[in-house]
Amino acid sequence: MSIKEIKPNNKGTKQLSDNPWIERLTRTHISIPITLFLLYSGALLYYSTTNTELSTGITVALFLFGLLAFSLVEYLMHRYLFHMQVYTKARAKMQYIMHGVHHEFPKDKDRLAMPPLASLTIATVLLFLFRLIMDDYVFGFLPGFLTGYASYLFVHYIVHAFQPPKNFFKTLWVHHGIHHYKDNEKAFGVSSPLWDYVFRTMP
């Protein structure tokens, strides 16, 4: 069954594994990965100021570029990986485990972020990968990228866990609500609708 066929259930959860240890690894409190990403970003910025020759201006510019780059990666992964075409049973199963379970139980707070081990592994892989490409510039860029990730996790959590506020942030609640409850082939941006405008997937 693809995401297109899933009907959201605002109550309950779904067990993904009979093994209690594996099942536990599929869940996390949202504060843990957010804290890890922010601490990781802070450590990289500290290293940048004490061990590289990057100026403050360059570091700030790279940080902002990292934020923007993450917002694009967030959009592309959500649209093309999490909502991949499921023309085989294996792809349908992979899609469901990665994202379909979230569409089926969108209020399940324990499954709104990757577990800490996966979060740290991804951050470290990105550090080594971007270091090969960007050299010391990575210490300005990756903190912005990871802060963008933490911001995405925060926004994603609050739009699922709380009622929409009566201010401009309500736009994010409405945007993501449309994706879950009206048209899951639109509104792929979570932390920002920017790329939905660019790629014409606004509802």
Side-chain angles (χ1 to χ4, degrees), residues 3 34 47-48 59 70 81 98 118 128 145 162 186 190 197 199 203:
I3 287 177
I34 289 176
Y47 184 89
S48 176
T59 301
F70 177 79
L81 178 62
M98 284 193 307
F128 285 107
F145 192 90
F162 301 104
K186 299 286 186 181
V190 177
Y197 283 107
F199 295 112

mmCIF file of all heavy atoms in Angstrom, residues 3 34 47-48 59 70 81 98 118 128 145 162 186 190 197 199 203:
data_model
loop_
_atom_site.group_PDB
_atom_site.id
_atom_site.type_symbol
_atom_site.label_atom_id
_atom_site.label_comp_id
_atom_site.label_asym_id
_atom_site.label_seq_id
_atom_site.Cartn_x
_atom_site.Cartn_y
_atom_site.Cartn_z
ATOM 1 N N ILE A 3 1.583 5.547 0.140
ATOM 2 C CA ILE A 3 1.129 6.658 0.970
ATOM 3 C C ILE A 3 -0.167 7.243 0.424
ATOM 4 O O ILE A 3 -1.034 7.683 1.186
ATOM 5 C CB ILE A 3 2.237 7.733 1.065
ATOM 6 C CG1 ILE A 3 3.366 7.225 1.978
ATOM 7 C CG2 ILE A 3 1.686 9.049 1.601
ATOM 8 C CD1 ILE A 3 4.538 8.155 2.084
ATOM 9 N N ILE A 34 17.188 17.038 18.487
ATOM 10 C CA ILE A 34 17.334 18.490 18.353
ATOM 11 C C ILE A 34 18.529 18.970 19.174
ATOM 12 O O ILE A 34 19.373 19.738 18.694
ATOM 13 C CB ILE A 34 16.047 19.219 18.792
ATOM 14 C CG1 ILE A 34 14.931 18.998 17.767
ATOM 15 C CG2 ILE A 34 16.310 20.721 18.973
ATOM 16 C CD1 ILE A 34 13.602 19.604 18.162
ATOM 17 N N TYR A 47 35.180 24.874 16.909
ATOM 18 C CA TYR A 47 36.393 24.393 16.234
ATOM 19 C C TYR A 47 36.811 25.358 15.134
ATOM 20 O O TYR A 47 37.998 25.627 14.940
ATOM 21 C CB TYR A 47 36.155 22.999 15.657
ATOM 22 C CG TYR A 47 37.384 22.401 15.024
ATOM 23 C CD1 TYR A 47 38.275 21.642 15.783
ATOM 24 C CD2 TYR A 47 37.668 22.604 13.666
ATOM 25 C CE1 TYR A 47 39.413 21.096 15.208
ATOM 26 C CE2 TYR A 47 38.811 22.068 13.090
ATOM 27 C CZ TYR A 47 39.677 21.311 13.864
ATOM 28 O OH TYR A 47 40.816 20.782 13.293
ATOM 29 N N SER A 48 35.833 25.883 14.430
ATOM 30 C CA SER A 48 36.118 26.825 13.342
ATOM 31 C C SER A 48 36.833 28.069 13.860
ATOM 32 O O SER A 48 37.793 28.544 13.245
ATOM 33 C CB SER A 48 34.814 27.235 12.645
ATOM 34 O OG SER A 48 35.055 28.210 11.648
ATOM 35 N N THR A 59 32.101 32.818 7.866
ATOM 36 C CA THR A 59 31.420 31.796 8.666
ATOM 37 C C THR A 59 29.913 32.034 8.688
ATOM 38 O O THR A 59 29.123 31.098 8.525
ATOM 39 C CB THR A 59 31.971 31.779 10.102
ATOM 40 O OG1 THR A 59 33.381 31.507 10.066
ATOM 41 C CG2 THR A 59 31.279 30.713 10.941
ATOM 42 N N PHE A 70 19.880 23.076 3.538
ATOM 43 C CA PHE A 70 19.091 22.038 4.203
ATOM 44 C C PHE A 70 17.631 22.117 3.801
ATOM 45 O O PHE A 70 16.985 21.085 3.602
ATOM 46 C CB PHE A 70 19.196 22.089 5.727
ATOM 47 C CG PHE A 70 18.303 21.056 6.341
ATOM 48 C CD1 PHE A 70 18.710 19.741 6.384
ATOM 49 C CD2 PHE A 70 17.021 21.371 6.761
ATOM 50 C CE1 PHE A 70 17.853 18.749 6.854
ATOM 51 C CE2 PHE A 70 16.169 20.394 7.238
ATOM 52 C CZ PHE A 70 16.589 19.083 7.286
ATOM 53 N N LEU A 81 12.141 10.869 -2.088
ATOM 54 C CA LEU A 81 12.526 9.650 -1.376
ATOM 55 C C LEU A 81 11.365 9.125 -0.535
ATOM 56 O O LEU A 81 10.922 7.998 -0.718
ATOM 57 C CB LEU A 81 13.747 9.911 -0.487
ATOM 58 C CG LEU A 81 14.215 8.707 0.348
ATOM 59 C CD1 LEU A 81 14.645 7.557 -0.570
ATOM 60 C CD2 LEU A 81 15.363 9.112 1.280
ATOM 61 N N MET A 98 9.815 4.033 6.249
ATOM 62 C CA MET A 98 10.463 5.344 6.313
ATOM 63 C C MET A 98 9.478 6.467 6.596
ATOM 64 O O MET A 98 9.771 7.383 7.351
ATOM 65 C CB MET A 98 11.192 5.653 4.990
ATOM 66 C CG MET A 98 12.481 4.928 4.782
ATOM 67 S SD MET A 98 13.420 5.656 3.399
ATOM 68 C CE MET A 98 12.212 5.640 2.076
ATOM 69 N N ALA A 118 21.086 7.169 14.865
ATOM 70 C CA ALA A 118 21.017 7.483 13.439
ATOM 71 C C ALA A 118 21.344 8.959 13.204
ATOM 72 O O ALA A 118 22.040 9.303 12.238
ATOM 73 C CB ALA A 118 19.627 7.159 12.893
ATOM 74 N N PHE A 128 32.412 14.261 7.345
ATOM 75 C CA PHE A 128 33.523 13.723 6.557
ATOM 76 C C PHE A 128 33.306 13.949 5.059
ATOM 77 O O PHE A 128 34.246 14.284 4.327
ATOM 78 C CB PHE A 128 33.716 12.231 6.853
ATOM 79 C CG PHE A 128 34.363 11.968 8.168
ATOM 80 C CD1 PHE A 128 33.637 11.457 9.236
ATOM 81 C CD2 PHE A 128 35.714 12.230 8.359
ATOM 82 C CE1 PHE A 128 34.241 11.225 10.463
ATOM 83 C CE2 PHE A 128 36.342 11.993 9.584
ATOM 84 C CZ PHE A 128 35.593 11.487 10.642
ATOM 85 N N PHE A 145 23.639 23.780 8.213
ATOM 86 C CA PHE A 145 22.872 22.651 7.680
ATOM 87 C C PHE A 145 22.215 21.882 8.830
ATOM 88 O O PHE A 145 21.018 21.565 8.780
ATOM 89 C CB PHE A 145 23.811 21.735 6.891
ATOM 90 C CG PHE A 145 23.118 20.707 6.057
ATOM 91 C CD1 PHE A 145 22.761 20.986 4.741
ATOM 92 C CD2 PHE A 145 22.837 19.449 6.558
ATOM 93 C CE1 PHE A 145 22.128 20.028 3.955
ATOM 94 C CE2 PHE A 145 22.206 18.489 5.782
ATOM 95 C CZ PHE A 145 21.852 18.783 4.472
ATOM 96 N N PHE A 162 0.743 20.155 18.669
ATOM 97 C CA PHE A 162 -0.009 21.248 19.272
ATOM 98 C C PHE A 162 -1.022 21.834 18.299
ATOM 99 O O PHE A 162 -0.913 21.666 17.088
ATOM 100 C CB PHE A 162 0.939 22.355 19.749
ATOM 101 C CG PHE A 162 1.947 21.884 20.756
ATOM 102 C CD1 PHE A 162 3.268 21.661 20.383
ATOM 103 C CD2 PHE A 162 1.583 21.656 22.071
ATOM 104 C CE1 PHE A 162 4.203 21.219 21.304
ATOM 105 C CE2 PHE A 162 2.514 21.214 23.000
ATOM 106 C CZ PHE A 162 3.831 20.995 22.619
ATOM 107 N N LYS A 186 1.226 17.364 -2.562
ATOM 108 C CA LYS A 186 1.502 18.798 -2.526
ATOM 109 C C LYS A 186 2.087 19.149 -1.154
ATOM 110 O O LYS A 186 2.075 18.343 -0.235
ATOM 111 C CB LYS A 186 0.217 19.612 -2.747
ATOM 112 C CG LYS A 186 -0.470 19.371 -4.087
ATOM 113 C CD LYS A 186 0.273 20.031 -5.227
ATOM 114 C CE LYS A 186 -0.490 19.902 -6.541
ATOM 115 N NZ LYS A 186 0.231 20.531 -7.673
ATOM 116 N N VAL A 190 8.281 21.472 4.970
ATOM 117 C CA VAL A 190 7.781 21.454 6.344
ATOM 118 C C VAL A 190 8.243 22.701 7.093
ATOM 119 O O VAL A 190 7.438 23.438 7.637
ATOM 120 C CB VAL A 190 8.250 20.187 7.095
ATOM 121 C CG1 VAL A 190 7.795 20.220 8.549
ATOM 122 C CG2 VAL A 190 7.726 18.943 6.399
ATOM 123 N N TYR A 197 6.874 26.772 -3.625
ATOM 124 C CA TYR A 197 6.660 27.856 -4.582
ATOM 125 C C TYR A 197 7.573 27.690 -5.787
ATOM 126 O O TYR A 197 7.141 27.793 -6.939
ATOM 127 C CB TYR A 197 6.926 29.220 -3.932
ATOM 128 C CG TYR A 197 5.825 29.715 -3.043
ATOM 129 C CD1 TYR A 197 5.969 29.724 -1.660
ATOM 130 C CD2 TYR A 197 4.625 30.188 -3.579
ATOM 131 C CE1 TYR A 197 4.960 30.192 -0.833
ATOM 132 C CE2 TYR A 197 3.603 30.657 -2.762
ATOM 133 C CZ TYR A 197 3.772 30.655 -1.393
ATOM 134 O OH TYR A 197 2.766 31.115 -0.584
ATOM 135 N N PHE A 199 9.130 24.968 -6.997
ATOM 136 C CA PHE A 199 8.876 23.791 -7.818
ATOM 137 C C PHE A 199 7.392 23.545 -8.100
ATOM 138 O O PHE A 199 7.001 22.474 -8.555
ATOM 139 C CB PHE A 199 9.503 22.556 -7.163
ATOM 140 C CG PHE A 199 11.004 22.624 -7.105
ATOM 141 C CD1 PHE A 199 11.665 22.746 -5.870
ATOM 142 C CD2 PHE A 199 11.771 22.576 -8.245
ATOM 143 C CE1 PHE A 199 13.035 22.803 -5.795
ATOM 144 C CE2 PHE A 199 13.151 22.641 -8.181
ATOM 145 C CZ PHE A 199 13.796 22.762 -6.946
ATOM 146 N N PRO A 203 -0.222 23.881 -2.698
ATOM 147 C CA PRO A 203 -1.614 23.457 -2.879
ATOM 148 C C PRO A 203 -2.429 24.499 -3.632
ATOM 149 O O PRO A 203 -2.153 25.692 -3.512
ATOM 150 C CB PRO A 203 -2.120 23.312 -1.433
ATOM 151 C CG PRO A 203 -0.880 23.194 -0.603
ATOM 152 C CD PRO A 203 0.180 23.963 -1.297
#
